Amino acid sequence: MTVQDSGKVALVTGASRGIGYGIAQALVARGDRVVITGRGEDALKDAVEKLGADRAVGIAGKAHDEAHQAAAVERAMEAFGRVDFLINNAGTNPVFGPMAELDLGVARKVYETNVISALGFAQQTWKAWQKENGGAIVNIASVAGVSASPFIGAYGMSKAAMVNLTQQLAHEFAPVVRVNAIAPAVVKTKFAEALYEGREAEAAAAYPLGRLGVPEDIGGAAEFLTSEKSGWITGQTLVIDGGIFLNAGVG
Ligand SMILES: NC(=O)c1ccc[n+]([C@@H]2O[C@H](COP(=O)([O-])OP(=O)(O)OC[C@H]3O[C@@H](n4cnc5c(N)ncnc54)[C@H](OP(=O)(O)O)[C@@H]3O)[C@@H](O)[C@H]2O)c1
């Protein structure tokens, strides 16, 4: 079935695989064009090919690099003439251990990659297109940002900051641009592999819905949050967690 062109364009960071790719797929399936980013050139090329070279372009770079942020938005404007939606998805979680021993340099790096990058991309899309023409932003936070998350505290702090960044931008960019966040629990990707590899059934059993998340679960939500169906929603963080927070009062 041929998909009708929506005429809309999305920039999705960190989209050569995993959740970002799942989001890009969902947006392309409804007729958007996408610009996707990632550090590795080859993976990015493969992803563009799978999405369709007429629907997607890739630009390689590190999310925290300001020159890359500007270049990615320029690429969207050159290739497609607009950038309606920004999905701030690229993120990192390089450290595991107690907060009492957290290397402060690593904590700064996590904040830079996960939070400052998202702000940088938002500044660029606002300036290049959204301020005059409107659109929507979706920030990928985490359940680690809305509760304590033992041993991944630096990551949790950065994702909590993304929740507040979402509110700040939602307030400042209203009424022209809506800004929301998604906070997933464990989604089956390379990033989260260590949390379930070799014990998926056991990990899934903790979830009332009986399974771990898949990128499509997040793709569907991002599609909704960048559509007119969510036209009166801004500043919110949508927790997508297979019901795991429902366990909070148990035990
Ligand atoms: N999976 C989960 O359980 C889960 C749960 C909650 C939130 N999240 C969040 O979801 C987002 C995506 O995670 P994922 O699970 O989809 O991870 P993933 O499968 O490892 O994919 C990450 C994507 O981002 C790119 N990337 C990584 N670091 C980057 C950087 N510094 N600059 C630019 N691109 C970068 C990767 O490509 P390269 O490696 O080639 O750069 C890849 O395309 C992250 O923000 C993560 O915190 C994930």
Side-chain angles (χ1 to χ4, degrees):
M1 196 181 76
T2 38
V3 177
Q4 209 176 356
D5 195 332
S6 69
K8 304 284 190 191
V9 174
L11 169 57
V12 189
T13 69
S16 58
R17 62 170 186 266
I19 291 173
Y21 181 75
I23 292 171
Q25 249 184 337
L27 300 186
V28 165
R30 75 157 178 210
D32 293 6
R33 290 186 166 81
V34 294
V35 175
I36 61 172
T37 78
R39 291 164 303 177
E41 295 263 10
D42 291 346
L44 210 49
K45 246 188 231 160
D46 289 349
V48 165
E49 216 164 278
K50 282 192 282 173
L51 290 165
D54 57 329
R55 311 304 305 173
V57 298
I59 175 161
K62 293 179 179 160
H64 73 271
D65 175 359
E66 284 181 51
H68 166 66
Q69 293 159 12
V73 174
E74 255 171 54
R75 188 82 185 91
M77 295 302 291
E78 270 165 24
F80 302 131
R82 55 196 296 152
V83 56
D84 303 278
F85 310 128
L86 167 65
I87 315 294
N88 274 315
N89 168 73
T92 189
N93 181 21
V95 63
F96 186 83
M99 294 295 268
E101 286 159 29
L102 178 63
D103 179 323
L104 299 185
V106 174
R108 280 187 201 101
K109 194 168 178 302
V110 171
Y111 196 82
E112 174 87 25
T113 301
N114 293 359
V115 188
I116 308 287
S117 302
L119 173 59
F121 274 108
Q123 289 177 339
Q124 294 291 339
T125 50
W126 174 253
K127 211 166 45 183
W129 178 263
Q130 292 182 326
K131 182 178 180 187
E132 293 301 323
N133 303 286
I137 297 175
V138 178
N139 294 321
I140 305 303
S142 166
V143 289
V146 291
S147 69
S149 38
F151 299 109
I152 51 170
Y155 175 74
M157 287 195 303
S158 76
K159 294 299 189 178
M162 279 198 96
V163 170
N164 191 259
L165 173 66
T166 299
Q167 294 171 329
Q168 300 296 341
L169 293 179
H171 195 267
E172 189 173 321
F173 291 178
V176 281
V177 173
R178 295 181 302 102
V179 187
N180 291 290
I182 296 173
V186 173
V187 176
K188 290 202 286 176
T189 67
K190 187 173 175 204
F191 177 88
E193 225 166 37
L195 298 174
Y196 62 85
E197 216 176 13
R199 51 176 291 274
E200 187 177 335
E202 190 192 329
Y207 288 75
L209 292 183
R211 65 170 177 86
L212 302 179
V214 290
E216 291 78 5
D217 292 318
I218 313 304
E223 185 186 342
F224 169 67
L225 289 173
T226 54
S227 79
E228 272 316 303
K229 288 179 182 161
S230 61
W232 209 45
I233 301 178
T234 198
Q236 298 303 305
T237 295
L238 177 59
V239 172
I240 302 185
D241 70 343
I244 200 157
F245 271 7
L246 299 172
N247 293 338
V250 177

Short mmCIF file of all heavy atoms in Angstrom, two decimals, residues 146-192:
data_model
loop_
_atom_site.label_atom_id
_atom_site.label_comp_id
_atom_site.label_asym_id
_atom_site.label_seq_id
_atom_site.Cartn_x
_atom_site.Cartn_y
_atom_site.Cartn_z
N VAL A 146 11.92 9.51 36.65
CA VAL A 146 10.73 9.85 37.44
C VAL A 146 10.65 9.05 38.74
O VAL A 146 9.63 9.06 39.43
CB VAL A 146 9.42 9.71 36.60
CG1 VAL A 146 9.36 10.78 35.53
CG2 VAL A 146 9.30 8.33 35.95
N SER A 147 11.73 8.35 39.07
CA SER A 147 11.81 7.66 40.36
C SER A 147 13.30 7.42 40.63
O SER A 147 14.12 7.68 39.76
CB SER A 147 11.09 6.31 40.30
OG SER A 147 11.82 5.42 39.48
N ALA A 148 13.61 6.92 41.80
CA ALA A 148 15.01 6.56 42.05
C ALA A 148 15.34 5.33 41.20
O ALA A 148 14.48 4.49 40.94
CB ALA A 148 15.20 6.23 43.52
N SER A 149 16.59 5.26 40.74
CA SER A 149 16.98 4.10 39.93
C SER A 149 18.37 3.65 40.38
O SER A 149 19.37 4.19 39.92
CB SER A 149 16.97 4.44 38.45
OG SER A 149 17.44 5.74 38.25
N PRO A 150 18.39 2.70 41.32
CA PRO A 150 19.65 2.29 41.94
C PRO A 150 20.71 1.92 40.92
O PRO A 150 20.42 1.23 39.94
CB PRO A 150 19.25 1.07 42.77
CG PRO A 150 17.79 1.20 42.99
CD PRO A 150 17.24 1.95 41.82
N PHE A 151 21.90 2.43 41.13
CA PHE A 151 23.10 2.13 40.35
C PHE A 151 23.17 2.80 38.98
O PHE A 151 24.16 2.66 38.28
CB PHE A 151 23.34 0.61 40.22
CG PHE A 151 23.55 -0.03 41.57
CD1 PHE A 151 22.58 -0.85 42.13
CD2 PHE A 151 24.70 0.24 42.31
CE1 PHE A 151 22.76 -1.41 43.38
CE2 PHE A 151 24.90 -0.32 43.57
CZ PHE A 151 23.92 -1.14 44.10
N ILE A 152 22.10 3.51 38.60
CA ILE A 152 22.22 4.30 37.37
C ILE A 152 21.78 5.75 37.67
O ILE A 152 21.03 6.37 36.91
CB ILE A 152 21.44 3.69 36.18
CG1 ILE A 152 19.97 3.36 36.55
CG2 ILE A 152 22.13 2.45 35.65
CD1 ILE A 152 19.10 2.99 35.34
N GLY A 153 22.28 6.25 38.79
CA GLY A 153 21.85 7.56 39.30
C GLY A 153 22.19 8.72 38.39
O GLY A 153 21.39 9.66 38.25
N ALA A 154 23.36 8.69 37.75
CA ALA A 154 23.74 9.81 36.88
C ALA A 154 22.76 9.88 35.71
O ALA A 154 22.30 10.96 35.31
CB ALA A 154 25.16 9.62 36.36
N TYR A 155 22.45 8.72 35.19
CA TYR A 155 21.49 8.62 34.09
C TYR A 155 20.12 9.12 34.55
O TYR A 155 19.46 9.92 33.88
CB TYR A 155 21.43 7.16 33.64
CG TYR A 155 20.42 6.83 32.59
CD1 TYR A 155 20.62 7.20 31.26
CD2 TYR A 155 19.27 6.10 32.90
CE1 TYR A 155 19.70 6.87 30.28
CE2 TYR A 155 18.35 5.76 31.92
CZ TYR A 155 18.57 6.14 30.61
OH TYR A 155 17.66 5.80 29.65
N GLY A 156 19.69 8.64 35.74
CA GLY A 156 18.39 9.06 36.28
C GLY A 156 18.31 10.57 36.46
O GLY A 156 17.30 11.19 36.09
N MET A 157 19.38 11.18 36.99
CA MET A 157 19.39 12.64 37.16
C MET A 157 19.22 13.33 35.82
O MET A 157 18.49 14.31 35.69
CB MET A 157 20.73 13.11 37.75
CG MET A 157 20.95 12.78 39.20
SD MET A 157 22.34 13.75 39.86
CE MET A 157 23.69 13.31 38.79
N SER A 158 19.92 12.82 34.81
CA SER A 158 19.86 13.47 33.49
C SER A 158 18.46 13.33 32.89
O SER A 158 17.95 14.25 32.25
CB SER A 158 20.93 12.89 32.54
OG SER A 158 20.53 11.62 32.05
N LYS A 159 17.83 12.18 33.11
CA LYS A 159 16.49 11.99 32.54
C LYS A 159 15.45 12.81 33.30
O LYS A 159 14.47 13.27 32.72
CB LYS A 159 16.14 10.50 32.51
CG LYS A 159 17.01 9.68 31.54
CD LYS A 159 16.86 10.17 30.10
CE LYS A 159 17.55 9.25 29.09
NZ LYS A 159 17.36 9.68 27.71
N ALA A 160 15.67 13.01 34.60
CA ALA A 160 14.79 13.90 35.37
C ALA A 160 14.92 15.32 34.81
O ALA A 160 13.93 16.06 34.69
CB ALA A 160 15.16 13.86 36.85
N ALA A 161 16.14 15.70 34.45
CA ALA A 161 16.35 17.03 33.87
C ALA A 161 15.62 17.15 32.53
O ALA A 161 15.11 18.21 32.19
CB ALA A 161 17.84 17.30 33.70
N MET A 162 15.55 16.05 31.80
CA MET A 162 14.82 16.09 30.52
C MET A 162 13.33 16.32 30.74
O MET A 162 12.67 16.96 29.92
CB MET A 162 15.02 14.80 29.74
CG MET A 162 16.33 14.81 28.99
SD MET A 162 16.35 13.58 27.69
CE MET A 162 15.90 14.52 26.26
N VAL A 163 12.82 15.79 31.84
CA VAL A 163 11.40 16.01 32.14
C VAL A 163 11.17 17.51 32.39
O VAL A 163 10.22 18.10 31.87
CB VAL A 163 10.97 15.16 33.36
CG1 VAL A 163 9.57 15.55 33.84
CG2 VAL A 163 11.03 13.67 33.02
N ASN A 164 12.08 18.13 33.13
CA ASN A 164 11.91 19.56 33.38
C ASN A 164 12.22 20.39 32.14
O ASN A 164 11.55 21.39 31.87
CB ASN A 164 12.77 20.02 34.56
CG ASN A 164 12.38 21.43 34.98
OD1 ASN A 164 13.07 22.40 34.64
ND2 ASN A 164 11.26 21.57 35.68
N LEU A 165 13.20 19.97 31.36
CA LEU A 165 13.48 20.66 30.08
C LEU A 165 12.21 20.67 29.22
O LEU A 165 11.88 21.67 28.58
CB LEU A 165 14.62 19.93 29.34
CG LEU A 165 14.91 20.42 27.93
CD1 LEU A 165 15.46 21.85 27.93
CD2 LEU A 165 15.90 19.48 27.22
N THR A 166 11.50 19.55 29.24
CA THR A 166 10.25 19.43 28.49
C THR A 166 9.24 20.49 28.95
O THR A 166 8.60 21.17 28.14
CB THR A 166 9.68 18.01 28.68
OG1 THR A 166 10.64 17.08 28.19
CG2 THR A 166 8.35 17.81 27.98
N GLN A 167 9.14 20.66 30.27
CA GLN A 167 8.19 21.65 30.79
C GLN A 167 8.64 23.08 30.45
O GLN A 167 7.82 23.92 30.08
CB GLN A 167 8.06 21.48 32.31
CG GLN A 167 7.41 20.15 32.67
CD GLN A 167 7.46 19.85 34.16
OE1 GLN A 167 8.40 20.25 34.85
NE2 GLN A 167 6.49 19.12 34.65
N GLN A 168 9.94 23.33 30.60
CA GLN A 168 10.46 24.68 30.30
C GLN A 168 10.18 25.05 28.85
O GLN A 168 9.69 26.14 28.55
CB GLN A 168 11.98 24.76 30.56
CG GLN A 168 12.42 24.47 31.98
CD GLN A 168 11.90 25.48 33.00
OE1 GLN A 168 11.50 26.58 32.65
NE2 GLN A 168 11.89 25.09 34.25
N LEU A 169 10.50 24.12 27.96
CA LEU A 169 10.33 24.41 26.52
C LEU A 169 8.84 24.49 26.17
O LEU A 169 8.44 25.31 25.34
CB LEU A 169 11.02 23.35 25.67
CG LEU A 169 12.55 23.31 25.74
CD1 LEU A 169 13.10 22.19 24.85
CD2 LEU A 169 13.18 24.64 25.32
N ALA A 170 8.04 23.62 26.79
CA ALA A 170 6.60 23.63 26.51
C ALA A 170 6.01 25.00 26.86
O ALA A 170 5.18 25.55 26.13
CB ALA A 170 5.90 22.53 27.30
N HIS A 171 6.48 25.55 27.98
CA HIS A 171 5.98 26.85 28.42
C HIS A 171 6.46 27.96 27.48
O HIS A 171 5.67 28.79 27.01
CB HIS A 171 6.46 27.11 29.86
CG HIS A 171 5.72 28.23 30.51
ND1 HIS A 171 6.18 29.52 30.47
CD2 HIS A 171 4.55 28.25 31.19
CE1 HIS A 171 5.32 30.30 31.12
NE2 HIS A 171 4.32 29.55 31.56
N GLU A 172 7.74 27.92 27.17
CA GLU A 172 8.33 28.99 26.36
C GLU A 172 7.89 28.94 24.90
O GLU A 172 7.71 29.98 24.28
CB GLU A 172 9.86 28.88 26.46
CG GLU A 172 10.58 30.07 25.85
CD GLU A 172 12.08 30.00 26.11
OE1 GLU A 172 12.48 29.59 27.22
OE2 GLU A 172 12.84 30.35 25.18
N PHE A 173 7.73 27.76 24.35
CA PHE A 173 7.42 27.63 22.91
C PHE A 173 5.92 27.62 22.62
O PHE A 173 5.53 27.58 21.45
CB PHE A 173 8.05 26.37 22.33
CG PHE A 173 9.57 26.39 22.23
CD1 PHE A 173 10.26 25.28 21.75
CD2 PHE A 173 10.32 27.49 22.62
CE1 PHE A 173 11.65 25.28 21.64
CE2 PHE A 173 11.72 27.50 22.53
CZ PHE A 173 12.39 26.38 22.04
N ALA A 174 5.07 27.62 23.66
CA ALA A 174 3.62 27.66 23.42
C ALA A 174 3.26 29.05 22.88
O ALA A 174 3.91 30.04 23.25
CB ALA A 174 2.88 27.39 24.73
N PRO A 175 2.25 29.19 22.05
CA PRO A 175 1.36 28.11 21.60
C PRO A 175 1.82 27.44 20.30
O PRO A 175 1.12 26.55 19.82
CB PRO A 175 0.04 28.84 21.37
CG PRO A 175 0.48 30.20 20.87
CD PRO A 175 1.77 30.51 21.59
N VAL A 176 2.96 27.87 19.75
CA VAL A 176 3.27 27.37 18.39
C VAL A 176 3.84 25.96 18.36
O VAL A 176 3.61 25.21 17.42
CB VAL A 176 4.21 28.33 17.61
CG1 VAL A 176 3.47 29.50 17.07
CG2 VAL A 176 5.40 28.76 18.44
N VAL A 177 4.61 25.61 19.41
CA VAL A 177 5.23 24.29 19.42
C VAL A 177 4.84 23.57 20.71
O VAL A 177 4.97 24.12 21.80
CB VAL A 177 6.78 24.41 19.34
CG1 VAL A 177 7.44 23.05 19.52
CG2 VAL A 177 7.19 25.02 18.01
N ARG A 178 4.35 22.34 20.57
CA ARG A 178 4.06 21.52 21.75
C ARG A 178 5.29 20.67 22.07
O ARG A 178 5.98 20.20 21.16
CB ARG A 178 2.86 20.61 21.50
CG ARG A 178 1.56 21.38 21.29
CD ARG A 178 0.37 20.46 21.06
NE ARG A 178 0.55 19.58 19.93
CZ ARG A 178 0.88 18.30 20.01
NH1 ARG A 178 1.05 17.71 21.20
NH2 ARG A 178 1.03 17.57 18.92
N VAL A 179 5.57 20.53 23.36
CA VAL A 179 6.76 19.78 23.77
C VAL A 179 6.35 18.77 24.83
O VAL A 179 5.81 19.13 25.88
CB VAL A 179 7.84 20.72 24.35
CG1 VAL A 179 9.13 19.94 24.61
CG2 VAL A 179 8.12 21.89 23.41
N ASN A 180 6.58 17.50 24.57
CA ASN A 180 6.24 16.44 25.52
C ASN A 180 7.40 15.45 25.62
O ASN A 180 8.33 15.49 24.80
CB ASN A 180 4.97 15.72 25.05
CG ASN A 180 3.74 16.61 25.16
OD1 ASN A 180 3.28 16.92 26.26
ND2 ASN A 180 3.23 17.06 24.03
N ALA A 181 7.34 14.61 26.63
CA ALA A 181 8.39 13.60 26.82
C ALA A 181 7.74 12.22 26.93
O ALA A 181 6.56 12.08 27.26
CB ALA A 181 9.19 13.90 28.08
N ILE A 182 8.56 11.21 26.65
CA ILE A 182 8.16 9.82 26.85
C ILE A 182 9.17 9.21 27.82
O ILE A 182 10.37 9.40 27.65
CB ILE A 182 8.17 9.04 25.52
CG1 ILE A 182 7.12 9.60 24.55
CG2 ILE A 182 7.92 7.55 25.77
CD1 ILE A 182 7.18 9.01 23.14
N ALA A 183 8.65 8.51 28.83
CA ALA A 183 9.54 7.87 29.81
C ALA A 183 9.33 6.37 29.76
O ALA A 183 8.43 5.82 30.42
CB ALA A 183 9.23 8.41 31.21
N PRO A 184 10.16 5.66 28.98
CA PRO A 184 9.98 4.21 28.88
C PRO A 184 10.65 3.47 30.04
O PRO A 184 11.65 3.92 30.58
CB PRO A 184 10.68 3.84 27.57
CG PRO A 184 11.12 5.12 26.92
CD PRO A 184 11.18 6.14 28.02
N ALA A 185 10.10 2.29 30.34
CA ALA A 185 10.83 1.30 31.16
C ALA A 185 11.67 0.48 30.17
O ALA A 185 11.98 0.97 29.08
CB ALA A 185 9.85 0.44 31.94
N VAL A 186 12.04 -0.75 30.51
CA VAL A 186 12.99 -1.48 29.66
C VAL A 186 12.39 -1.85 28.30
O VAL A 186 11.36 -2.52 28.21
CB VAL A 186 13.51 -2.75 30.37
CG1 VAL A 186 14.35 -3.59 29.41
CG2 VAL A 186 14.34 -2.36 31.59
N VAL A 187 13.08 -1.36 27.27
CA VAL A 187 12.70 -1.63 25.89
C VAL A 187 13.83 -2.45 25.28
O VAL A 187 15.00 -2.15 25.48
CB VAL A 187 12.54 -0.30 25.11
CG1 VAL A 187 12.23 -0.57 23.64
CG2 VAL A 187 11.45 0.56 25.74
N LYS A 188 13.48 -3.48 24.54
CA LYS A 188 14.50 -4.40 24.03
C LYS A 188 15.33 -3.74 22.91
O LYS A 188 14.90 -3.67 21.76
CB LYS A 188 13.83 -5.68 23.51
CG LYS A 188 13.26 -6.52 24.65
CD LYS A 188 13.10 -7.96 24.27
CE LYS A 188 11.95 -8.17 23.34
NZ LYS A 188 11.85 -9.56 22.88
N THR A 189 16.49 -3.24 23.30
CA THR A 189 17.44 -2.63 22.36
C THR A 189 18.85 -2.98 22.83
O THR A 189 19.03 -3.49 23.94
CB THR A 189 17.33 -1.08 22.36
OG1 THR A 189 17.77 -0.60 23.64
CG2 THR A 189 15.91 -0.60 22.10
N LYS A 190 19.82 -2.63 22.02
CA LYS A 190 21.22 -2.87 22.38
C LYS A 190 21.55 -2.18 23.71
O LYS A 190 22.24 -2.72 24.57
CB LYS A 190 22.11 -2.34 21.25
CG LYS A 190 23.55 -2.66 21.43
CD LYS A 190 24.35 -2.27 20.20
CE LYS A 190 25.81 -2.51 20.48
NZ LYS A 190 26.67 -1.67 19.63
N PHE A 191 21.05 -0.98 23.87
CA PHE A 191 21.28 -0.15 25.05
C PHE A 191 20.89 -0.86 26.34
O PHE A 191 21.57 -0.74 27.36
CB PHE A 191 20.43 1.11 24.85
CG PHE A 191 20.44 2.11 25.97
CD1 PHE A 191 21.41 3.10 26.02
CD2 PHE A 191 19.45 2.09 26.94
CE1 PHE A 191 21.39 4.04 27.03
CE2 PHE A 191 19.43 3.03 27.95
CZ PHE A 191 20.41 4.02 28.00
N ALA A 192 19.78 -1.60 26.30
CA ALA A 192 19.23 -2.18 27.53
C ALA A 192 19.51 -3.68 27.64
O ALA A 192 19.13 -4.30 28.65
CB ALA A 192 17.71 -1.94 27.57
#
